[in-house]
Amino acid sequence: MRELLDLLASGAPGERLGRPAAGARAAGAGPREQAAVDEATRVAHDIHRTLTQHRRREAELAALFDTAGDLAALRDLDAVLRAIVHRARTLLGTDLAYLTLHDPAAGDTYMRVTDGSVSATFQQLRLGMGEGLGGLVAQTARPYASTDYRDDHRFLHTGAIDEGVREEGLRGILGVPLRVGTRVIGVLFAADRTLRDFTPDAIALLSSLADHAAVAIDGARLLEETRSALVELNAANERARAHSEALRRAADAHDRLTDLVLRGGGIDDVAQEIAVLLGGGLAVHDADGAELARVGCDPVTPSPEGIDASRAGGRAVPADSTWICAVLAGSTLLGSLVLVGRPALTDADRRLFERAGLVTALLMLLRRSVAEAEDRVRGELLDDLLTTPAGRPDGHRDAGSLALRARRLGVDLFGRPHAVLVLDCETALRARLTGETTRRARRLGGLAGTHDGRPVLLVPEPEPGPLARELAGELTAAVGAPVTVGAGRSATGPDRLPDSHAEARRCLDALHALGRTGDGAGPGELGFLGVLLGDRTDVGGYVDSVLGPVLAYDRRRGTELVRTLDAYYGEGASLARAKEALHVHVNTVVQRLDRVAHLLGRDWNTPARSLEIQLALRLHRIGRGAPRP
């Protein structure tokens, strides 16, 4: 008995507890003594078994406490899951341990972490609720064990699950639920590749580990959600800070631009300010694409497609590595802003750029209003300068008052000679021509307006003929239709301007009569015709002296002798071509010319008389404003 107690006290293995009974039997102990020793040996085995269970339980509890401590120290969810699975495999001594988590969106569980797995198919398994051992655990929230899963028909076998289990080589499987309160968040498994009958102690041990694991998983999830919330909060704070900074910049820009406008700043000043605020180069153009201002960049042409896109959307748009903002007043295009050197704009900078477009539109409208008011004043002055006062046939006017009004507008009528030019085009395009003429007047330092129904230009120019020709070409291109420009002789002082205007009108009529519509000229460019058009020439008397009898004959008889003469000379003195132009028989042309010879004399077709007749015909046509037949 003493020997058995010593063995138990020393923690000797169970097989050594049988030695005292074997020694008593060898020593020849009697039946009663041998029976007592055998009974004591049986009791010793029971005590040894109980002590072993207690030691194992103590070890398991120590392991659980260690596991709880390890899990509590972990903060990363993936690290928590890997630690849980590895500890389950270690505590139960299985070939494999793994964990599945619930997927609320799909309504099933999926393989999240494995330890000891070698099959890729097994590692990617998904178990529907109620499918296989794990699906049944997730559905019922109860642990299940199988000594040999392959032949266990208590579970719903599926092709995918059986294929994964077979490829992994699993036989004995134990699964316990991971629960947080009454909610199952996953399943923890331990499995062997041989047959294994999992004892209640093993099931209890894995369940205890699962309980600790579920709390750790939920804690890690909450921590992760807290981290995500903190990240989102930081991002929101950063967005709020950026928004606040953008508002501050916008308010600052608004104050600076408002102050600039109130101080009378122009488009150049706005361009300079916006270029500094946005850190790029800026170009401002009007509706026709003419540059109004440019800061910090080379000349740039705004993209028509970009302007159309900005105009349609009312926003600044990127175009060809630049940003374009249409300058609008309602739906009317006033111009455009082009920002270079900033391929990408933040929302705040984009709104600031668009605000610059609004300020530019305001300045353009103000400038347009001022220009229109000034143009009205200039037009009224021009009308007064070109009009002879009623009741004063001598044309005498208050020249000093007119000169003073002109000087206030920057026009010195006495200091420099000025010329009057009269312009003409299709009636439907005259309003546009007037606008183009006004722009040219600003450039040339003169006045523009409308007088007697046609656009008129008064400019400081001693030789207006070349200027008339140049303006005819420019304005024809700008208007898109022929523009004819007649110029009068330059005059110094207001008194001669009405005569210059009348002379310009006669030159304009002469250009039309000569078939030079779309051209420009002054009296000097029309040769002797210009001399005849001068204000001191009796054009009517000259025409009567040369063509009087023919004109009188046509008036009395209703004939067309003058028209026949015009066609005859116009066709190079050819009877055949003249009859085609007149649409009559050649004999009719001959008869009419015989009548002309009778009225003007037989020498009417000599070179000298022919020149006089052709000149008189042109002057007569100019006087009537009639075209060549």
Side-chain angles (χ1 to χ4, degrees):
M1 294 290 290
R2 178 60 184 269
E3 185 179 358
L4 287 172
L5 291 175
D6 290 339
L7 288 172
L8 289 173
S10 65
E15 59 269 15
R16 293 181 59 185
L17 295 178
R19 291 180 181 179
R25 191 176 292 107
R32 291 183 61 184
E33 293 176 346
Q34 188 65 43
V37 173
D38 289 342
E39 179 63 20
T41 300
R42 184 186 64 76
V43 173
H45 275 290
D46 291 341
I47 293 172
H48 181 272
R49 189 162 45 250
T50 301
L51 290 174
T52 300
Q53 289 175 347
H54 284 192
R55 291 191 187 100
R56 186 178 70 248
R57 190 63 176 168
E58 182 181 356
E60 291 174 350
L61 289 174
L64 287 175
F65 282 124
D66 292 342
T67 299
D70 292 343
L71 294 178
L74 295 174
R75 292 295 180 264
D76 179 67
L77 181 57
D78 288 335
V80 169
L81 298 179
R82 288 193 297 270
I84 290 169
V85 172
H86 179 73
R87 189 58 62 90
R89 183 184 178 195
T90 302
L91 288 177
L92 272 72
T94 55
D95 297 327
L96 181 69
Y98 53 98
L99 182 147
T100 61
L101 290 180
H102 179 54
D103 185 350
D108 61 5
T109 60
Y110 62 97
M111 195 74 69
R112 178 63 188 272
V113 180
T114 64
D115 189 66
S117 172
V118 296
S119 168
T121 301
F122 182 79
Q123 294 167 15
Q124 297 173 7
L125 277 179
R126 297 187 75 94
L127 290 76
M129 302 302 284
E131 294 179 353
L133 186 147
L136 189 59
V137 173
Q139 186 180 55
T140 63
R142 295 172 55 189
Y144 281 90
S146 176
T147 303
D148 187 359
Y149 176 79
R150 298 184 189 179
D151 296 329
D152 197 334
H153 298 292
R154 292 178 299 161
F155 308 107
L156 177 61
H157 289 259
T158 66
I161 296 174
D162 287 351
E163 174 63 24
V165 169
R166 185 166 45 254
E167 189 172 305
E168 192 64 60
L170 298 183
R171 305 301 290 270
I173 301 176
L174 168 62
V176 297
L178 295 168
R179 287 179 292 196
V180 177
T182 59
R183 182 166 53 93
V184 177
I185 63 173
V187 180
L188 180 61
F189 298 86
D192 268 340
R193 294 188 175 89
T194 59
L195 301 181
R196 177 166 176 173
D197 186 10
F198 290 94
T199 65
D201 289 342
I203 295 174
L205 177 60
L206 191 62
S207 296
S208 297
L209 181 59
D211 292 338
H212 286 292
V215 173
I217 290 173
D218 196 51
R221 180 184 59 80
L222 292 175
L223 182 60
E224 190 169 286
E225 290 177 356
T226 301
R227 286 174 176 168
S228 298
L230 287 175
V231 170
E232 292 178 1
L233 180 60
N234 289 335
N237 286 335
E238 182 61 26
R239 288 194 297 270
R241 188 200 62 76
H243 183 63
S244 176
E245 176 63 19
L247 289 177
R248 187 197 63 77
R249 286 188 66 213
D252 180 61
H254 180 269
D255 292 342
R256 292 169 68 174
L257 292 175
T258 301
D259 181 64
L260 187 151
V261 173
L262 293 177
R263 287 189 287 104
I267 293 177
D268 287 338
D269 301 311
V270 171
Q272 181 69 44
E273 198 70 41
I274 295 302
V276 171
L277 287 170
L278 294 178
L282 189 75
V284 185
H285 300 83
D286 64 13
D288 297 326
E291 183 181 286
L292 302 178
R294 178 164 47 88
V295 178
C297 64
D298 294 329
V300 58
T301 301
S303 163
E305 295 79 10
I307 294 176
D308 291 341
S310 177
R311 184 179 184 181
R315 300 290 307 276
V317 298
D320 300 331
S321 300
T322 67
W323 282 84
I324 293 179
C325 182
V327 179
L328 302 173
S331 59
T332 303
L333 180 67
L334 301 179
S336 63
L337 303 181
V338 181
L339 179 66
V340 302
R342 286 293 306 275
L345 284 182
T346 64
D347 288 341
D349 285 348
R350 183 173 180 173
R351 286 192 295 271
L352 181 57
F353 186 39
E354 291 163 356
R355 186 185 295 266
L358 293 176
V359 174
T360 305
L362 175 61
L363 288 177
M364 284 185 171
L365 287 175
L366 289 174
R367 192 175 73 167
R368 175 182 289 185
S369 298
V370 171
E372 288 175 352
E374 184 176 324
D375 289 342
R376 283 194 297 271
V377 173
R378 289 174 174 271
E380 291 170 358
L381 173 60
L382 180 61
D383 194 58
D384 290 344
L385 289 171
L386 302 183
T387 302
T388 301
R392 303 298 297 271
D394 58 354
H396 180 71
R397 300 178 296 174
D398 187 353
S401 175
L402 291 173
L404 179 60
R405 288 170 58 190
R407 193 176 300 114
R408 289 172 180 168
L409 296 176
V411 178
D412 186 1
L413 295 176
F414 283 108
R416 300 177 62 184
H418 283 68
V420 178
L421 296 93
V422 181
L423 302 90
D424 191 30
C425 68
E426 298 175 17
T427 303
L429 298 175
R430 281 185 181 173
R432 183 175 178 184
L433 176 59
T434 300
E436 294 291 339
T437 303
T438 300
R439 280 191 278 274
R440 299 307 189 283
R442 296 193 194 104
R443 187 188 71 190
L444 297 171
L447 302 175
T450 301
H451 191 72
D452 291 343
R454 284 189 173 87
V456 179
L457 185 62
L458 175 67
V459 293
E461 178 58 55
E463 297 294 336
L467 176 61
R469 189 163 53 252
E470 178 184 339
L471 286 176
E474 288 182 6
L475 294 172
T476 294
V479 173
V483 175
T484 309
V485 183
R489 290 183 178 85
S490 297
T492 301
D495 290 339
R496 295 288 298 168
L497 293 180
D499 295 336
S500 180
H501 172 257
E503 192 171 47
R505 282 292 302 267
R506 288 194 294 271
C507 284
L508 180 68
D509 293 339
L511 289 170
H512 284 309
L514 294 171
R516 291 173 59 181
T517 297
D519 197 359
E525 285 69 42
L526 295 178
F528 63 84
L529 185 58
V531 175
L532 292 173
L533 290 172
D535 57 353
R536 291 178 295 278
T537 302
D538 183 7
V539 175
Y542 178 80
V543 172
D544 284 339
S545 67
V546 177
L547 294 177
V550 177
L551 293 171
Y553 189 89
D554 277 349
R555 282 194 298 270
R556 290 194 309 270
R557 303 293 182 90
T559 55
E560 293 186 338
L561 298 183
V562 171
R563 182 167 177 262
T564 302
L565 273 173
D566 215 2
Y568 174 71
Y569 286 121
E571 297 299 332
S574 169
L575 294 174
R577 289 196 297 272
K579 65 100 173 176
E580 295 294 337
L582 294 169
H583 304 291
V584 296
H585 195 274
V586 67
N587 292 336
T588 303
V589 178
V590 172
Q591 291 171 3
R592 292 178 180 178
L593 293 180
D594 286 342
R595 176 57 59 184
V596 167
H598 177 73
L599 294 172
L600 298 182
R602 292 296 176 183
D603 62 344
W604 70 276
N605 207 16
T606 61
R609 289 292 305 279
S610 175
L611 177 61
E612 290 183 355
I613 292 172
Q614 290 183 60
L615 176 58
L617 285 171
R618 292 197 175 191
L619 292 174
H620 175 65
R621 188 165 65 249
I622 292 171
R624 292 188 309 156
R628 179 186 294 278

